[in-house]
Amino acid sequence: MRLSFAAAAFAAVASLSPAGAPAQETRDVQVVHEEKPVYPEAARKTLREGNVVLVGRIDERGVLHDVTPTATTLDQFVQPAVEAAKKWQFRPAMLAGKPVKVVANFAFRFRIPGAKREEPEAEAQSRKPNPMLGEIRIVPADAAGKATGPDGFPLRRGAGERIRVEAAIDVAPQPMGRSLDVGVSALSPSGKVVPLWSDRVTVAPNAVSSTVAFTSPVGPEWTEDGVWRLRFTADRRDAGTAIVWAAADPASFDFAAGMKSLRPWTPAR
């Protein structure tokens, strides 16, 4: 169980500067302290596993705010995931040597190492969760698809920018190889849907995860300033929701206020 953006840090790059001037660091958020969630006892006893997808924002001091669940494979996992996330500590993302605020998209994986399953296979299969986001990294990119800012950095609307998405879709292992129809759409603050990407993704035999990577233009359909949702589906089922913030002028956009537009997650009934 770990936050997705702790998996791979954004490579430090040099900003444009006069010859001989020191390079100015650009990097993703760095995790200083991790807190593991408490595994719900009822889920442990029944060998239930799964993921919780959370979103929030990390300010220029590295403080996490507005932790909000967007998806889960089991309702019991949500509260311990949120409580653990609030105890994580970070160093802020850096852009050209200055700390910047960013979106936080992350997931907790609830797994039982070495769990023995002696019950019939049909019963074991009934507990395996549907595909769900396990890792997610979203960065602004140039026309060639190269990252131009840290993970979670805002998208600039109307500037010919692209969005680059790298994700892991966690799946229940199966002995035979298979494939998933994966789709990603952006939902504007007012609910407008902008299709971003779709493809058939191969899952290797006994694999527990499959990777997704693509770039898409931040085109004229991105008409609103605010926090946008990125909804992932796998075989037409919800596979989790991440967020990005986009604005014509990100420096003047009130990101904290934009987070208030997110609809709260509600557990299944």
Side-chain angles (χ1 to χ4, degrees):
M1 297 170 285
R2 59 184 173 85
L3 300 189
S4 64
F5 51 69
F10 183 70
V13 298
S15 64
L16 295 177
S17 56
Q24 294 180 306
E25 186 180 22
T26 293
R27 61 165 170 78
D28 287 349
V29 164
Q30 295 180 341
V31 178
V32 175
H33 171 73
E34 299 183 19
E35 187 80 17
K36 292 184 177 181
V38 176
Y39 211 112
E41 189 59 28
R44 184 186 297 277
K45 286 181 178 179
T46 56
L47 303 180
R48 297 294 298 271
E49 299 180 335
N51 295 6
V52 176
V53 182
L54 304 175
V55 301
R57 60 184 176 93
I58 298 176
D59 67 19
E60 296 92 336
R61 297 175 298 144
V63 179
L64 177 64
H65 302 272
D66 302 324
V67 179
T68 304
T70 67
T72 184
T73 50
L74 186 67
D75 294 349
Q76 297 172 38
F77 293 146
V78 172
Q79 183 175 349
V82 171
E83 291 176 352
K86 290 179 177 179
K87 296 177 182 178
W88 282 57
Q89 298 175 8
F90 309 91
R91 292 189 182 93
M94 302 288 289
L95 182 69
K98 296 181 179 180
V100 291
K101 56 181 176 289
V102 293
V103 161
N105 291 298
F106 47 99
F108 279 104
R109 290 166 164 148
F110 287 78
R111 302 291 186 268
I112 304 174
K116 295 182 179 180
R117 296 174 173 82
E118 300 177 352
E119 70 279 9
E121 178 62 17
E123 184 176 342
Q125 287 288 340
S126 69
R127 286 200 310 272
K128 292 181 178 178
N130 293 325
M132 181 67 67
L133 280 173
E135 295 182 5
I136 178 68
R137 182 170 180 262
I138 303 171
V139 297
D142 59 20
K146 182 180 178 181
T148 58
D151 183 14
F153 199 62
L155 306 175
R156 187 179 293 275
R157 297 192 304 103
E161 195 164 64
R162 298 181 70 87
I163 181 174
R164 178 171 179 80
V165 177
E166 301 168 2
I169 307 293
D170 290 352
V171 297
Q174 295 185 6
M176 301 293 290
R178 56 183 170 134
S179 59
L180 296 172
D181 283 320
V182 178
V184 185
S185 297
L187 280 70
S188 75
S190 68
K192 176 183 177 181
V193 179
V194 179
L196 296 183
W197 178 87
S198 63
D199 202 354
R200 193 137 184 97
V201 176
T202 300
V203 181
N206 298 312
V208 297
S209 188
S210 186
T211 59
V212 168
F214 67 91
T215 63
S216 179
V218 183
E221 302 90 348
W222 294 71
T223 57
E224 300 175 43
D225 286 359
V227 177
W228 289 61
R229 300 171 178 84
L230 261 59
R231 181 172 181 259
F232 289 71
T233 59
D235 288 345
R236 299 184 180 181
R237 293 185 176 184
D238 183 25
T241 298
I243 60 172
V244 298
W245 57 297
D249 180 12
S252 63
F253 174 70
D254 189 344
F255 179 33
M259 287 291 294
K260 306 304 180 185
S261 69
L262 290 176
R263 292 189 298 270
W265 172 86
T266 54
R269 298 299 181 187

